[in-house]
Amino acid sequence: MIRRDPYPTRLEHRSDPIPRREPVVHGGAGRDGPLTAQHLAQFERDGFLVLDGFFRPREVRGFLEDLEAYGRDPALCERPQVIREADSGAIRSIFAIHRLSGRFDALVRDSRLLELAGQILDGDVYVHQSRLNRKPAFRGRGFAWHSDFETWHAEDGMPAMRCISISVSLTENNDLNGPLLLIPGSHRTFYPTVGATPERYWERSLQQQRIGVPDVEDLAASVRDGGIVTARGGPGTVTVFDCNTLHGSTDNLSAMPRSNLFFVYNSVENRLQQPFAAAEPRPEWVASREHVEPLEPLRSQRSAVA
Ligand code: 6CS
Ligand code: FE
C-alpha cells in the first residue's frame, strides 16, 4: 500500500515550501502548568520560548558533574550513543541520557517539565530522544541550520508536528560560546530538502549534518521574515521549541564551555512509523520506537532537581 506523505523531503530537486498542517499549541491551553496564556501565544507565534531562571543554577549543578564523570567512563565512551567531534575527538553529544541514570530519568519526568509539555502537546507524552550537547571551550563545534522534524519525519517516521524539544542549560549560554540560534516563525513552514538519505547516515549526521538541511534560498527567506534570535541565559534556563522551528549554532571559539540537555517530548498519538525517506529506522538510542510508555510525573515537584 502506498502511504500518503504530507511532508515529502530528501528529494532529487528543490520543491516549494509546504505550509504546516498541524496546530502549534494542540488544545492544551486550558491545562494548568508553568506557561501563562501570554507564553502560549508567544510560542504559537514564534515557535519557541526562552525561560531564564526556570531552574535555579544550583539545581542543575549536579547534572554537570555527572556528565563530566560520564566523559571519564571508558565503557560508556565506547558506546555508539557517545558522539565525538570529527577533528578533536572531544565528546560532542551523549544520547539517551535519561536511560543512563536515575537522576536524569527523574529530571525528564519532573512535573514542571511534563506539565509544560502537556500545555503545548495536550495529553500524554513520551521521550522521543534525549541528549547532552557539549561544546567545550575553543574546540566545541556548531550545528548547521535545520528543522528537527525534517530529520525525524524522513529518518525516523515521525508522522506529524506534535512534538517539542525542551533544552535545559547546564552552563551559561551567551553570545560567544555558541548558543542556540532560532528563526522565529519558521515552524509554520516545512522546507523539503534536496538529496537522498545515505545508508546509516546517523553515523555521520550527528557529527555534521549535510543532508536534510534547508536550501540557502529558503533559509534566506525565512530569516528575512523572522530574523534570528539567540537563546541566552544562565544555568537553569529552559528553552522550549517546536519540532519544526529552524535552529542551529556556531562553533564555540570562546574560553567558556557550554553544555545543554535536550529532552524531546512526543505525543503518544504521534508514535513513529516506518521512515518516510530512509532505508531503515535509526537505533533506539537516537529515536524511541519501543520505549513509548507515557511518562508519569514525579509526585514531589522538587525531588528531581534538589
Ligand atoms: O538527527 C537527530 O535526531 C538530531 N540532529 C540534530 C542536528 N538535531 C536534533 C537531533 O538531535
Ligand atoms: Fe536540532
Side-chain angles (χ1 to χ4, degrees), residues 24 26 28 116-123 125 162-164 265-267:
V24 178
H26 292 259
L116 192 162
Q119 283 183 289
I120 295 172
L121 299 176
D122 195 22
V125 298
R162 191 171 173 184
C163 178
I164 57 167
Y265 296 99
N266 191 25
S267 164

Side-chain angles (χ1 to χ4, degrees), residues 92-93 95 128-129 131 133 143-144 146-149 151-152 155-156 165 202 205-206 209 241 247 262 264 282 286-287:
R92 171 177 172 86
S93 304
F95 279 81
H128 166 64
Q129 181 185 89
R131 64 190 190 276
N133 280 349
F143 290 81
H146 65 281
S147 145
D148 291 334
F149 178 77
T151 293
W152 298 337
E155 297 187 35
D156 299 333
S165 287
W202 67 89
S205 67
L206 302 176
Q209 190 176 6
F241 57 103
H247 61 284
F262 287 83
V264 181
R282 299 195 296 176
V286 66

